[in-house]
């Protein structure tokens, strides 16, 4: 017997994964011996801080630590999450009702979508956006309504009543500092979000994964700092980028107790929680001295400067972002007709440099590529030289 048509409707309805062609081609070129400088995926290349690793090892030696953990997160970690929020943002949270530990924020957002969205629900989602913001909603059976992030609006959505015409949206997803555009915002935008959400009776999901990776004196605010925000929304944070713990898969959600409760309930059916030694190590991460975070930020700032200054020298005009580990680069005019996918493949095949096409983050990302600062300064300079040779030969 040959099994056919095994995919569920929710899988068949997923958009085409635009990054697949580039990933396949990148792997093929590497197998051919090409030295590909990969600035595509936001995968941190620096080590996790030693105190965090030491704590993991210490706790892993305890035989009791290898039993099932807590789906909601161990109480000590939830308390430390709330302590961190109070210290960083001045936001007070109840660790029992307003905080839940997730197996990374990507998992958390995906599980939340299953917990709160029904088939036919409308969700306001930025476009372009981090793919999981989009896919999680579609997998849950809900429908997307785009909030365009375009250059003319500084990649900030316009919260107009036109967004709620027709069937009323159930929720809105936002994320600042933003992936992929690297745009930042001030607290006034979040005040506008809260006003809009309360006016139209929708709830808010804010992804703040890059809040600590800020440059040039900018300090990212939390959505929950706005009065009344906790009445209508939650916020996700991940330890992946700030502490170079991407593979550890640990993050959390905080905020409105009813939304947190829905996520907690679904997780209780889906998982037994993160390995206890990882959770205890996460406590150590949240308690680290500021110098550890400053080192990470300084690394990305230097790489940003090398990349952006280098691209501008070779004629690719790009602005310096104030946050994240990405540069959102508009395709040079003479290559614009290619579109972001063909231009990304062109850089890969002709300059041995991998970037992510903007169209992979949504239709409004067309005309841009996202460049991740995940190679050291020497490799970034090597990429600039390759791009310069390519541009000079056109």
């Amino acid at each position: 017997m040959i099994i056919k048509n095994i995919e569920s409707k929710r899988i068949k309805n997923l958009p085409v994964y635009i990054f697949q062609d580039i990933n396949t081609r990148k792997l093929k070129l590497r197998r051919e011996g090409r030295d590909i400088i990969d600035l595509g995926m936001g995968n941190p290349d620096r080590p996790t801080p030693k105190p965090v690793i030491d704590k993991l090892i210490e706790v892993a030696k305890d035989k009791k630590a290898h039993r099932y953990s807590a789906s909601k997160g161990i109480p000590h970690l939830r308390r430390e999450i709330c302590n961190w929020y109070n210290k960083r943002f001045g936001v007070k949270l109840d660790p029992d009702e307003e905080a839940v530990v997730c197996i990374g924020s990507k998992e958390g957002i995906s599980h939340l979508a299953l917990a709160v969205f029904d088939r036919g629900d409308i969700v306001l989602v930025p476009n372009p956006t981090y793919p999981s913001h989009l896919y999680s909603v579609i997998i849950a059976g809900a429908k997307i309504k785009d909030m365009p992030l375009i250059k003319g609006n500084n990649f900030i959505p316009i919260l107009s009543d036109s967004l709620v015409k027709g069937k009323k949206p159930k929720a809105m997803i936002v994320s600042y500092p933003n992936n992929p555009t690297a745009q930042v915002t001030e607290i006034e935008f979040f005040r506008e979000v809260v006003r809009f959400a309360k006016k139209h009776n929708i709830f808010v999901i804010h992804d703040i994964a890059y809040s600590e990776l800020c440059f040039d004196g900018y300090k990212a605010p939390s959505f929950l700092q706005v009065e009344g925000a906790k009445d209508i929304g939650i916020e996700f944070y991940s330890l992946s980028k700030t502490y170079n713990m991407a593979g550890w898969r640990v993050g959390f959600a905080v905020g409105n107790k009813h939304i947190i409760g829905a996520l907690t309930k679904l997780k209780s059916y889906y998982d037994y929680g993160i390995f206890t030694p990882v959770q205890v190590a996460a406590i150590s991460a949240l308690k680290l001295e500021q110098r550890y975070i400053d080192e990470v930020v300084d690394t990305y700032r230097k790489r940003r400067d090398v990349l952006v200054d280098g691209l501008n020298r070779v004629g690719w005009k790009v602005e310096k972002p104030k946050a994240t580990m990405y540069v959102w680069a508009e395709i040079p005019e003479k290559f614009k007709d290619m579109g972001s996918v063909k231009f990304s493949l062109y850089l890969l095949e002709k300059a041995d440099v991998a970037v992510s096409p903007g169209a992979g983050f949504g239709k409004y990302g067309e005309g841009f590529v996202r460049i991740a600062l995940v190679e050291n300064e020497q490799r970034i300079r090597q990429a600039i030289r390759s791009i310069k040779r390519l541009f000079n030969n056109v």
Side-chain angles (χ1 to χ4, degrees):
M1 182 180 74
I2 298 175
I3 298 176
K4 296 181 179 180
N5 300 319
I6 194 67
E7 291 182 346
S8 66
K9 288 182 179 179
R10 67 175 58 89
I11 294 299
K12 288 180 179 178
N13 288 340
L14 287 173
V16 175
Y17 190 63
I18 291 179
F19 301 115
Q20 189 57 48
D21 284 346
I22 292 173
N23 291 339
T24 300
R25 185 60 181 156
K26 179 171 61 181
L27 180 61
K28 183 176 185 297
L29 292 174
R30 279 181 166 162
R31 285 174 175 169
E32 292 172 359
R34 298 268 291 272
D35 179 22
I36 303 300
I37 301 172
D38 193 351
L39 305 176
M41 184 178 179
N43 194 2
D45 64 314
R46 300 291 295 163
T48 304
K50 186 176 183 299
V52 180
I53 296 173
D54 290 345
K55 180 57 69 174
L56 173 74
I57 294 170
E58 174 193 330
V59 180
K61 290 179 180 178
D62 181 352
K63 62 182 180 181
K64 294 180 181 178
H66 295 261
R67 305 180 73 182
Y68 288 130
S69 190
S71 174
K72 187 177 181 178
I74 60 175
H76 192 180
L77 176 53
R78 285 185 280 113
R79 286 195 296 271
E80 191 55 43
I81 287 166
C82 295
N83 289 339
W84 184 84
Y85 248 79
N86 191 23
K87 180 181 177 182
R88 171 67 175 85
F89 299 113
V91 174
K92 295 186 183 300
L93 296 158
D94 180 347
D96 292 324
E97 292 192 317
E98 297 176 336
V100 60
V101 179
C102 305
I103 308 171
S105 58
K106 179 178 181 179
E107 171 271 347
I109 291 168
S110 298
H111 276 176
L112 177 65
L114 294 173
V116 298
F117 297 139
D118 291 314
R119 186 165 301 281
D121 282 344
I122 306 294
V123 183
L124 301 176
V125 179
N127 189 331
T129 193
Y130 176 53
S132 286
H133 296 162
L134 171 70
Y135 299 148
S136 61
V137 173
I138 294 172
I139 290 172
K143 296 181 179 179
I144 299 293
K145 188 165 187 179
D146 288 334
M147 294 191 295
L149 306 186
I150 60 175
K151 184 178 179 181
N153 295 326
N154 294 319
F155 305 107
I156 303 288
I158 296 175
L159 302 181
S160 67
D161 289 346
S162 63
L163 289 174
V164 296
K165 283 185 178 179
K167 185 176 180 180
K168 186 177 74 68
K170 186 174 185 178
M172 173 198 305
I173 297 175
V174 286
S175 179
Y176 289 96
N178 187 259
N179 175 18
T181 70
Q183 182 59 269
V184 299
T185 191
E186 301 296 340
I187 194 78
E188 182 52 42
F189 170 70
F190 292 137
R191 292 194 183 101
E192 185 182 353
V193 168
V194 172
R195 286 193 296 267
F196 183 84
K198 288 191 172 186
K199 177 181 177 182
H200 297 289
N201 193 30
I202 63 179
F203 68 88
V204 177
I205 303 164
H206 182 233
D207 184 351
I208 196 172
Y210 297 92
S211 65
E212 307 312 291
L213 301 185
C214 299
F215 318 117
D216 307 333
Y218 175 75
K219 197 160 188 175
S222 162
F223 159 75
L224 294 176
Q225 287 176 289
V226 176
E227 184 178 355
K230 206 160 51 170
D231 297 337
I232 47 88
I234 68 169
E235 197 159 65
F236 281 93
Y237 180 72
S238 169
L239 275 66
S240 294
K241 306 310 194 305
T242 306
Y243 304 100
N244 294 317
M245 295 171 65
W248 296 54
R249 307 314 304 136
V250 56
F252 55 82
V254 293
N256 181 273
K257 67 179 183 180
H258 302 293
I259 304 173
I260 294 295
L263 174 57
T264 301
K265 183 177 181 179
L266 184 129
K267 278 175 56 62
S268 70
Y269 287 92
Y270 270 35
D271 69 69
Y272 286 110
I274 304 166
F275 185 39
T276 296
V278 171
Q279 294 197 55
V280 178
I283 295 169
S284 295
L286 292 171
K287 288 183 171 181
L288 282 175
E289 297 175 22
Q290 183 63 34
R291 65 183 177 89
Y292 288 96
I293 298 173
D294 291 343
E295 288 174 5
V296 174
V297 172
D298 195 49
T299 295
Y300 287 124
R301 180 189 58 77
K302 289 177 179 176
R303 292 177 180 183
R304 175 203 66 170
D305 291 348
V306 170
L307 177 68
V308 174
D309 291 345
L311 289 178
N312 279 290
R313 279 197 306 271
V314 304
W316 189 349
K317 301 305 178 185
V318 177
E319 295 182 6
K320 286 185 180 179
K322 291 184 177 180
T324 78
M325 57 192 294
Y326 307 112
V327 170
W328 187 238
E330 189 168 7
I331 299 173
E333 194 62 39
K334 59 184 174 182
F335 299 104
K336 274 244 176 114
D337 289 344
M338 284 186 176
S340 61
V341 175
K342 287 185 178 179
F343 179 67
S344 297
L345 285 169
Y346 185 65
L347 288 180
L348 178 62
E349 294 174 352
K350 302 297 183 181
D352 293 337
V353 176
V355 299
S356 295
F361 302 97
K363 65 180 181 180
Y364 290 99
E366 186 54 87
F368 292 81
V369 296
R370 192 195 71 177
I371 308 174
L373 304 170
V374 292
E375 294 269 16
N376 62 40
E377 293 170 48
Q378 180 180 345
R379 294 279 284 171
I380 291 174
R381 290 189 180 96
Q382 181 182 338
I384 297 295
R385 291 193 294 271
S386 295
I387 292 171
K388 180 181 179 180
R389 286 194 294 270
L390 178 62
F391 284 11
N392 288 343
N393 291 332
V394 174

